[in-house]
Structures are given as structure tokens and as C-alpha cells.
Amino acid sequence: RLLLLPSFPPGWMRFKDKCFMFKGKKNDIKANWSYARNWCKDQGGELAVIDDQYENGNYLRDLKGPTWIGLSDLLLENQYAWSDGVSPVLYTNWNDKEPNNAGGTDEGCVSMHASRAFHGTWNDTKCDKAKPYICKISSGI
Ligand SMILES: *[C@@H]1O[C@H](CO)[C@@H](O)[C@H](O)[C@H]1NC(C)=O
Ligand SMILES: *[C@@H]1O[C@H](CO)[C@@H](O)[C@H](O)[C@H]1NC(C)=O
Ligand SMILES: [Ca+2]
Ligand SMILES: [Ca+2]
């Protein structure tokens, strides 16, 4: 009997019950947060939702600079939510003193640090900067 696994389009990588895709490596497109979100939606996905430290570590493996994830407080200041509109915030990995609205309250989109010193920690930043990003598709889609 065949075990039917959910199938994902080519180019996606599996981690547990999710598949994910990095954009923004080398000559690949980079995008501001809202463009990145729409790009992921166009693939049938969402910006990455990170539920635990293992997922955070898995995403980190391939990253270079700051990279968009799906967390923002764009809807309600200081209320961070995942952009898929349904996933609860089960885990956060803020860098020391973050989130801090360093650039003003419009600093609402979260990127993950990949540099050696800030390995995998999160930072609220202005949403309009073009950065690499991570999309995800959950199983069952
Ligand atoms: C966090 O984001 C701000 C911009 O809002 C940036 O100036 C700062 O360097 C970032 N923190 C780290 C550790 O990269
Ligand atoms: C995001 O980037 C797109 C495409 O470059 C641009 O049209 C849009 O105005 C940008 N949005 C923000 C909020 O910066
Ligand atoms: Ca904010
Ligand atoms: Ca910040």
C-alpha cells in the first residue's frame, strides 16, 4: 500500500510537515516584506512561520544576510502575528533588546539575522527594504 505524502511543487524543501523555499540568494530576487509576502502567496504559500527552535535552526542553515520571515505587527502595533492570518505565535527568537521600533513605529516587519554574531535571532525592521525571504507551504494544501 502506497503511503501518500502531500506533494509540493519542485524547488521546495521539506522540513517536518512544511515545505519551504529561500529566495534572494546571490542573483535571485530580493523584495520588501509585502512584495515578498505576495510572491509567496502567488506560489500557493506564505512567508515562513517559525514554530520552534528546530525550524529556526533549519531555516538558518542556508541564509546569508537578514532575511524576511512572516512575522509583523503591521495590523496592530506591538501585537506580532504571522502573515498567514491563522498560525498562533508559539515561538519567538528576538535578539537582545528587540523588538524596539528603532526606526519608528512603522518598523513592523521581522527579519532573521544570519550573521555569525547574531545567529538566527530576530529583529523588527522597516518593511520597505529589499531582502531575501523564506516562503512556506504547510502540508494539506
Ligand atoms: C536591527 O535592525 C536595525 C534597523 O532597524 C539595524 O540598524 C540593526 O543593525 C539590526 N540589528 C542587528 C543585530 O543587525
Ligand atoms: C515593494 O516593492 C514593490 C516592487 O518593487 C514596490 O512596487 C512597492 O511600492 C514596495 N512597497 C513598499 C511598502 O516599499
Ligand atoms: Ca512596530
Ligand atoms: Ca529592531
Side-chain angles (χ1 to χ4, degrees), residues 18 49-51 71 80-82 84-92:
K18 294 178 190 170
V49 172
I50 301 178
D51 290 327
L71 199 67
Y80 281 89
W82 294 110
D84 67 358
V86 292
S87 297
V89 178
L90 300 174
Y91 166 84
T92 56

Side-chain angles (χ1 to χ4, degrees), residues 116-132:
R116 190 176 295 246
F118 301 104
H119 225 60
T121 56
W122 302 0
N123 189 358
D124 61 326
T125 57
K126 278 191 192 296
C127 305
D128 59 358
K129 205 176 159 201
K131 294 180 187 177

Side-chain angles (χ1 to χ4, degrees), residues 61-83:
R61 276 191 324 215
D62 282 332
L63 305 185
K64 293 284 186 286
T67 298
W68 293 128
I69 59 175
L71 199 67
S72 84
D73 71 343
L74 291 174
L75 285 182
L76 197 57
E77 178 55 31
N78 284 326
Q79 292 287 309
Y80 281 89
W82 294 110
S83 63

